[in-house]
């Protein structure tokens, strides 16, 4: 009886160490990191979407003949904000592709709008426009950083669930599936719209 208690006492720490090395805790922690980084990506895209109506309003006052471009930006914003991807969808490549495509379309529309602004010197010197330009540039940079951080968290998570010994707990305990990284779906979509006003 004493020997069996002694054996159990020795096995308990070994079991705890074995379980901790098998991804019991590290896999959910990595998944939470991915979810948090995705929330950062969404936050930055929302910030960009929030800037669009103000940008459109300022440009509209100066560029009456750019109505088609302004309409395209407004419609692209509506599509981009209508495609939502929750943390539960990060393992669905089709939902991620739809989100990425909508965001890329908005980015391209903004790029076309900002290029059309070149024809309006008064607009390029407008304080409100300059402030929005600066905020948009900063937001595009934040989007790039948020996507990079998200992809790094996805890489870490996907590596954990595929490598020994963490893959044991990932598959058996958590039923873990790979997360989908953010990828450019159109040529040049990985670059922020060019915002150069030749100031």
């Amino acid at each position: 009886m004493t020997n069996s208690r002694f054996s159990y006492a020795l096995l308990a720490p070994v079991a705890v160490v074995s379980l901790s090395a098998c991804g019991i805790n590290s896999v959910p922690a990595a998944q939470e990191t991915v979810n948090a980084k995705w929330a950062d990506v969404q936050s930055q895209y929302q910030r960009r979407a929030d800037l669009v109506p103000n940008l459109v309003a300022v440009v509209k006052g100066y560029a009456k003949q750019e109505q088609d471009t302004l309409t395209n930006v407004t419609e692209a914003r509506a599509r981009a904000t209508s495609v939502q991807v929750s943390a539960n969808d990060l393992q669905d490549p089709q939902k991620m592709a739809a989100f990425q495509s909508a965001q890329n379309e908005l980015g391209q529309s903004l790029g076309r709008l900002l290029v059309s602004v070149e024809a309006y010197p008064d607009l390029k010197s407008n304080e409100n426009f300059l402030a929005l330009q600066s905020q948009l540039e900063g937001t595009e940079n934040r989007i790039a950083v948020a996507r990079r951080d998200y992809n790094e968290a996805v890489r870490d998570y996907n590596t954990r669930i595929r490598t020994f010994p963490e893959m044991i707990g990932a598959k058996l305990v958590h039923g873990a599936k790979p997360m989908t990284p953010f990828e450019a779906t159109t040529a040049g979509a990985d670059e922020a719209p060019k915002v150069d006003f030749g100031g």
Side-chain angles (χ1 to χ4, degrees), residues 48-105:
R48 177 172 74 176
D50 292 345
L51 287 172
V52 170
N54 294 332
L55 183 67
V56 168
V58 171
V59 173
K60 196 179 280 187
Y62 284 85
K64 299 284 188 211
Q65 61 268 36
E66 301 297 339
Q67 192 58 44
D68 288 344
T69 303
L70 294 169
T71 300
N72 290 340
V73 170
T74 302
E75 290 172 354
R77 178 193 181 273
R79 284 188 292 277
T81 56
S82 70
V83 179
Q84 297 297 315
V85 175
S86 72
N88 296 330
D89 298 326
L90 297 178
Q91 297 171 338
D92 185 338
Q94 291 173 334
K95 286 186 179 179
M96 290 293 290
F99 179 85
Q100 293 169 28
S101 177
Q103 294 300 333
N104 291 342
E105 184 182 343

Side-chain angles (χ1 to χ4, degrees), residues 11-173:
L11 287 177
V14 170
V16 168
V17 169
S18 295
L19 287 175
S20 67
C22 290
I24 299 298
N25 292 325
S26 63
V27 169
Q31 185 176 18
E32 289 303 315
T33 299
V34 170
N35 294 346
K37 297 300 183 186
W38 181 247
D40 291 344
V41 170
Q42 289 181 308
S43 174
Q44 295 310 322
Y45 276 124
Q46 184 60 53
R47 185 175 193 271
R48 177 172 74 176
D50 292 345
L51 287 172
V52 170
N54 294 332
L55 183 67
V56 168
V58 171
V59 173
K60 196 179 280 187
Y62 284 85
K64 299 284 188 211
Q65 61 268 36
E66 301 297 339
Q67 192 58 44
D68 288 344
T69 303
L70 294 169
T71 300
N72 290 340
V73 170
T74 302
E75 290 172 354
R77 178 193 181 273
R79 284 188 292 277
T81 56
S82 70
V83 179
Q84 297 297 315
V85 175
S86 72
N88 296 330
D89 298 326
L90 297 178
Q91 297 171 338
D92 185 338
Q94 291 173 334
K95 286 186 179 179
M96 290 293 290
F99 179 85
Q100 293 169 28
S101 177
Q103 294 300 333
N104 291 342
E105 184 182 343
L106 176 56
Q108 291 169 353
S109 293
L110 279 171
R112 285 189 292 275
L113 173 64
L114 295 173
V115 166
S116 72
V117 165
E118 286 296 316
Y120 305 96
D122 290 343
L123 173 58
K124 291 192 302 184
S125 64
N126 176 282
E127 280 184 37
N128 289 336
F129 182 77
L130 293 173
L132 287 166
Q133 171 198 352
S134 177
Q135 290 179 43
L136 186 59
E137 287 173 342
T139 299
E140 292 299 336
N141 291 333
R142 288 184 183 104
I143 288 170
V145 169
R147 287 190 312 215
R148 182 199 65 210
D149 291 349
Y150 166 75
N151 281 346
E152 180 58 28
V154 167
R155 185 205 57 78
D156 179 62
Y157 174 81
N158 288 346
T159 300
R160 285 178 187 275
I161 68 169
R162 295 180 62 215
T163 55
F164 185 81
E166 290 174 306
M167 66 188 285
I168 296 168
K171 300 290 186 209
L172 296 177
V173 176

